[in-house]
């Protein structure tokens, strides 16, 4: 054993309280940093491209539009109602897509023959542009909650499947040999060794899957269901209500950043607990 390995082995694992504190600080810093960056990009975009003030609205203009003494309350209510519809739709689709992806990834690890049979189908499905797929899926499953869930599930499912499958297979050969020496079944090895090793991949997939779920819901509202923020954005464009459009975009962006910051905080805690060798230093 080298000096570096000996030093790493003698280093005590962080206490749970330290992991939680580190995770919360990391999440807060991520949130503040991303919001500041987005604000600067917003201002810089309008200034650099000299966007006409009729189309491009600054953060202060959007805020004034929302706080209008006469119509502000009605505008906020309309925006929040559409937002909560999109949020619920995105959350349900993301959860279903993630659960299905984890189940299929587990089956892939247990059976390589199944992976060889299913993965080409998944690749073919993923190669179809989602904009072209949404009207077809809406026709098959309807324009209601079922159609929306299927569309978002498909969008989230593939990247999550790839990342989680890779995470389940990232276990060291020594760990697999140890489980075999104790005559552990493939299911036991999957649950006791592979699943904890896949925690970093699961959080990485969440950072990709959550924005994709929101995007899927917006596209579905635009192209199919006529509900949520996607529909509100289209109506804002066609009716030249650009302050409402920018407010909707800002609300989606800020909420997505908030979710990513929360995921980042929990990732630091979970990775420190289940995969400490891959925890951020």
């Amino acid at each position: 054993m080298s000096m570096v390995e000996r030093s790493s082995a003698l280093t005590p694992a962080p206490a749970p309280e330290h992991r939680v504190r580190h995770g919360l600080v990391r999440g807060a810093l991520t949130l503040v940093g991303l919001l500041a960056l987005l604000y600067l990009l917003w201002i810089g975009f309008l200034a650099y491209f000299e966007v006409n003030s009729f189309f491009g609205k600054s953060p202060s203009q959007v805020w004034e539009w929302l706080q209008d003494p006469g119509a502000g309350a009605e505008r906020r209510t309309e925006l929040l109602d559409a937002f909560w519809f999109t949020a619920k739709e995105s959350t349900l689709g993301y959860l279903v897509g993630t659960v299905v992806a984890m189940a299929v990834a587990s089956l892939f690890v247990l059976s390589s023959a199944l992976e060889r049979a299913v993965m080409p189908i998944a690749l073919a499905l993923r190669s179809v542009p989602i904009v072209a797929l949404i009207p077809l899926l809406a026709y098959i499953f309807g324009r209601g909650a079922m159609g929306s869930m299927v569309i978002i599930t498909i969008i989230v499912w593939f990247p999550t499947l790839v990342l989680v499958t890779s995470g389940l297979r990232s276990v060291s050969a020594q760990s697999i040999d140890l489980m075999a020496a104790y005559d552990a079944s493939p299911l036991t090895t999957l649950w006791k060794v592979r699943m904890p090793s896949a925690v970093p991949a699961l959080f990485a997939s969440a950072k990709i899957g959550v924005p994709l779920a929101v995007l899927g819901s917006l596209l579905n509202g635009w192209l199919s269901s006529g509900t949520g923020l996607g529909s509100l954005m289209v109506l804002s464009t066609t009716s030249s209500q650009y302050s409402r459009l920018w407010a909707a975009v800002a609300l989606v962006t800020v909420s997505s950043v908030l979710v990513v910051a929360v995921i980042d905080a929990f990732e630091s805690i979970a990775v420190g607990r289940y995969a400490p060798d891959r925890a951020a230093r």
Side-chain angles (χ1 to χ4, degrees):
M1 183 183 291
S2 68
M3 291 294 294
V4 174
E5 291 173 332
R6 265 196 297 252
S7 174
S8 177
L10 293 174
T11 302
E17 297 80 3
H18 174 76
R19 285 197 298 266
V20 172
R21 186 164 55 251
H22 179 267
L24 293 176
V25 171
R26 176 174 169 173
L29 291 176
T30 300
L31 177 62
V32 173
L34 288 176
L35 288 178
L37 177 61
L38 288 172
Y39 180 83
L40 293 175
L41 287 174
W42 186 347
I43 298 296
F45 173 83
L46 295 176
Y48 182 80
F49 291 100
E50 299 180 349
V51 181
N52 189 294
S53 59
F54 178 75
F55 302 102
K57 304 299 180 180
S58 67
S60 60
Q61 289 175 310
V62 171
W63 180 257
E64 290 172 4
W65 181 82
L66 289 171
Q67 298 299 320
D68 182 85
E74 183 180 350
R75 292 169 179 174
R76 292 192 298 271
T77 300
E78 180 186 37
L79 199 63
L80 288 175
D81 286 345
F83 168 76
W84 286 121
F85 184 92
T86 297
K88 289 185 288 186
E89 191 175 72
S90 303
T91 301
L92 179 60
Y94 169 75
L95 292 176
V96 173
T98 299
V99 170
V100 173
M102 291 181 66
V104 175
S106 300
L107 293 175
F108 281 178
V109 171
L110 296 174
S111 173
S112 57
L114 179 66
E115 181 177 9
R116 289 193 297 270
V118 174
M119 188 57 80
I121 301 174
L123 287 170
L125 183 64
R126 187 65 183 89
S127 65
V128 180
I130 191 61
V131 174
L133 200 59
I134 286 177
L136 176 61
L137 293 174
Y139 179 78
I140 296 173
F141 296 99
R143 300 176 184 274
M146 176 59 70
S148 300
M149 187 185 71
V150 170
I151 290 168
I152 299 170
T153 296
I154 291 175
I155 295 174
V156 171
W157 177 72
F158 184 77
T160 304
L161 173 67
V162 172
L163 287 169
V164 172
T165 301
S166 176
L168 291 173
R169 287 186 171 142
S170 65
V171 184
S172 65
Q174 293 87 346
S175 298
I176 299 297
D177 291 341
L178 180 62
M179 296 299 289
Y182 281 98
D183 199 26
S185 67
L187 283 175
T188 301
T189 302
L190 174 68
W191 180 251
K192 296 288 187 179
V193 177
R194 293 191 184 275
M195 284 293 186
S197 179
V199 167
L202 182 61
F203 278 98
S205 71
K207 292 179 180 179
I208 298 173
V210 169
L212 284 177
V214 175
L215 176 62
S217 179
L218 294 176
L219 288 174
N220 182 57
W222 169 35
L223 296 172
S224 174
S225 65
T227 55
L229 279 176
S231 175
L232 189 67
M233 288 177 178
V234 174
L235 292 175
S236 299
T237 303
T238 56
S239 60
S240 299
Q241 297 188 45
Y242 294 105
S243 292
R244 186 172 68 176
L245 175 63
W246 282 89
V249 171
L251 183 58
V252 169
T253 305
V254 170
S255 61
S256 298
V257 167
L258 177 60
V259 171
V260 169
V262 172
I263 293 172
D264 201 53
F266 279 100
E267 178 185 21
S268 179
I269 297 169
V271 171
R273 170 66 177 84
Y274 293 104
D277 55 315
R278 277 177 280 178
R281 294 287 188 255

